[in-house]
Amino acid sequence: MDAKIAASHWSDPELQPLSAEMLLTLHWMKTNQDRNDCGAYRFNAALFTFQTKLPADWHEKTRAALPERFTQDGVWFLYVPFISECLQLGTMSKNGGLNNMWKALAKPFQALTKPLQRALVEKYPELGSVVPEYVINQCLGKTSVADTI
């Protein structure tokens, strides 16, 4: 999935106070070569600095400025709204024509760590239609049949 910048991005009130360095960092987070179709990537400080010409601490500064948009598990980071921003949709469940897109996300989703999976399932319950139920239940912390009822 290619990262997209919608016109509404430039008027997003959460992004308006960000510095130019933070905006560049945010765009790197969404477009770097290691980012998968779910919006997850492994942070490589040397590569970040080489590509953006910014010190690596801008990565943390940008995440700290937008904490609700990110989930971290070790060296793995997830830009949670990546999928909806790429598709430029507010509420994805209202669009029934996205079944093939959800199917395409099943494999990269299953490769993520449980905390990153949990963040995506909470944001996009539609993943439950293409990812096995036991995987969804595990990432939500439901371990028995009784937990799913």
Side-chain angles (χ1 to χ4, degrees):
M1 185 179 317
D2 289 333
K4 295 184 175 48
I5 300 173
S8 61
H9 165 83
W10 302 109
S11 59
D12 183 333
E14 289 183 18
L15 302 184
Q16 288 180 351
L18 298 183
S19 67
E21 292 86 357
M22 287 181 177
L23 287 172
L24 175 60
T25 300
L26 181 62
H27 292 304
W28 180 89
M29 292 168 166
K30 296 194 291 187
T31 62
N32 78 81
Q33 66 212 33
D34 294 326
R35 188 248 329 131
N36 74 10
D37 286 347
C38 291
Y41 61 94
R42 185 177 178 154
F43 181 64
N44 178 319
L47 183 63
F48 171 81
T49 298
F50 175 75
Q51 291 178 335
T52 64
K53 309 301 185 245
L54 295 173
D57 65 336
W58 280 104
H59 185 266
E60 179 55 35
K61 291 177 186 177
T62 303
R63 284 189 331 100
L66 301 166
E68 69 288 345
R69 295 186 184 209
F70 291 93
T71 297
Q72 178 182 0
D73 187 29
V75 296
W76 288 96
F77 296 88
L78 174 68
Y79 183 69
V80 178
F82 178 78
I83 297 168
S84 57
E85 286 183 10
C86 286
L87 297 173
Q88 300 177 7
L89 298 172
T91 305
M92 300 193 55
S93 58
K94 292 182 180 176
N95 187 332
L98 296 174
N99 290 340
N100 288 336
M101 189 277 307
W102 291 118
K103 288 177 187 173
L105 291 176
K107 188 172 184 176
F109 173 85
Q110 290 188 51
L112 298 175
T113 65
K114 295 293 182 224
L116 301 186
Q117 287 179 342
R118 185 178 313 108
L120 282 179
V121 168
E122 289 171 356
K123 172 80 173 168
Y124 308 109
E126 298 88 347
L127 282 167
S129 67
V130 294
V131 176
E133 185 178 0
Y134 75 90
V135 174
I136 298 293
N137 289 339
Q138 283 179 342
C139 72
L140 292 174
K142 299 175 181 177
T143 56
S144 70
V145 176
D147 290 338
T148 64
I149 298 174

